[in-house]
Amino acid sequence: MLTIKPDAAIAKFGSVFRGVLFLFHEGHPSRVLPSGKPGALQIYNQPPFAVLTKKGGPVESLASLEGLKVGAPPGSASTKLFPALASAAGFDAEKVELISVKSNLQEQMLVQDQVSASLVFNVTSYLNILGIGMDPDTDFTWYPYGEAGLDIYSNGVMVSPKLLEENPEAVQGLVNAIAKAMADVLENPQEAIDIITAIEPLSNGELEMKRLQFALNNLIFSDESKANGIGAIDAERLTRSITTIKELYDLPDTPAAEDVFDASFLPPMDMRSF
């Protein structure tokens, strides 16, 4: 998890898991701008967290996690949100033995049966599985937190209140640029991958394409983003997300949806539709 002080001079904007948007700095909530065609813009419409299990293993449902060992990277959002997942899915988190694991060893420990499941960041884990020569679609079962009932927003672009107040034109330019870049990626994904491999020669274009398609299909595209355009939020859903995060982090107050998301910077719908 990344903790950010939005007024700090370290950065004026960044892509952040929405949970940290509700951490307070000097008693004031941050203002959030989802980014890109997923943004001002909400980049990830669906949470990227999942319970990962092997096909043919002891886990047949989330409820069957009770009594089993589950790999859980300390401090990760997937671990922090696990009690909320259990509550939403109807099982007892206290009956699950969470084993502290390094995030880069999650898949290997699962394959070696050192744990029965692992709490993963799905788009990273998908590529890790391909990297060890297995098929993430046929060799594993994924239980996405969102599908299990933890209907929260995830990564979006956060802008410092100071930048928002002093230079809204820069914020609008940033949001428009991200939206245009997303539109270009959707129109020509191969060109986007070619740019990545040109900048990072050690990257694998075939794997990066798989990562892109997985992220689009599992994190960005949804019925909601289809209806409202990439980058928009549903105020009622955001309010539910805020309540979930407030309870997990024991925050003193509950910010309103309009305090953490400013829809006025959203580009026109024709820039955000797919």
Side-chain angles (χ1 to χ4, degrees):
M1 288 289 291
L2 176 64
T3 300
I4 289 182
K5 292 185 176 181
D7 290 327
I10 298 173
K12 297 188 187 318
F13 56 84
S15 177
V16 185
F17 166 51
R18 188 161 295 281
V20 305
L21 301 176
F22 315 130
L23 299 178
F24 285 68
H25 176 54
E26 296 179 353
H28 299 288
S30 60
R31 297 295 297 273
V32 173
L33 307 174
S35 86
K37 200 178 174 181
L41 293 184
Q42 175 65 37
I43 297 177
Y44 287 171
N45 186 267
Q46 299 298 312
F49 316 115
V51 177
L52 179 68
T53 68
K54 281 199 312 182
K55 287 280 179 66
V59 179
E60 298 179 349
S61 67
L62 287 177
S64 64
L65 291 173
E66 294 182 3
L68 299 178
K69 293 181 179 180
V70 174
S76 73
S78 57
T79 300
K80 187 66 178 179
L81 290 167
F82 186 70
L85 171 70
S87 178
F91 66 93
D92 189 347
E94 295 296 325
K95 295 182 179 179
V96 180
E97 184 180 357
L98 295 184
I99 305 297
S100 178
V101 301
K102 292 184 177 180
S103 57
N104 62 334
L105 298 178
Q106 287 181 276
E107 295 79 20
Q108 292 92 326
M109 291 184 67
L110 179 58
V111 169
Q112 296 169 5
D113 294 323
Q114 296 182 54
V115 294
S116 298
S118 200
L119 311 181
V120 300
F121 188 85
N122 61 10
V123 72
T124 299
S125 189
Y126 192 87
L127 264 290
N128 290 345
I129 292 170
L130 290 171
I132 60 176
M134 300 184 72
D135 189 324
D137 297 312
T138 61
D139 296 333
F140 296 84
T141 299
W142 303 77
Y143 295 94
Y145 281 29
E147 292 183 9
L150 194 59
D151 187 28
I152 62 172
Y153 283 110
S154 184
N155 294 44
V157 170
M158 183 169 73
V159 177
S160 75
K162 184 177 181 181
L163 179 65
L164 193 66
E165 179 179 355
E166 294 181 354
N167 199 344
E169 295 82 5
V171 174
Q172 188 66 73
L174 167 70
V175 168
N176 288 347
I178 296 173
K180 178 62 166 61
M182 283 297 301
D184 290 346
V185 169
L186 294 180
E187 182 177 359
N188 193 338
Q190 186 57 56
E191 183 178 0
I193 299 302
D194 291 343
I195 292 172
I196 291 174
T197 54
I199 296 174
E200 297 288 347
L202 296 180
S203 60
N204 183 308
E206 183 179 354
L207 292 183
E208 290 303 328
M209 179 62 79
K210 290 179 182 291
R211 186 205 302 269
L212 173 61
Q213 293 300 332
F214 183 88
L216 289 174
N217 292 332
N218 292 275
L219 304 178
I220 296 172
F221 295 159
S222 70
D223 291 341
E224 180 185 304
S225 58
K226 181 71 173 178
N228 299 333
I230 296 176
I233 58 96
D234 177 86
E236 291 185 3
R237 182 183 171 200
L238 180 55
T239 298
R240 294 195 300 271
S241 295
I242 292 170
T243 300
T244 297
I245 299 300
K246 176 187 180 298
E247 292 174 353
L248 282 175
Y249 289 91
D250 194 27
L251 297 178
D253 297 299
T254 304
E258 59 268 21
D259 290 329
V260 296
F261 186 91
D262 192 335
S264 68
F265 289 93
L266 281 172
M269 182 65 171
D270 61 359
M271 291 182 65
R272 302 184 293 105
S273 60
F274 62 93

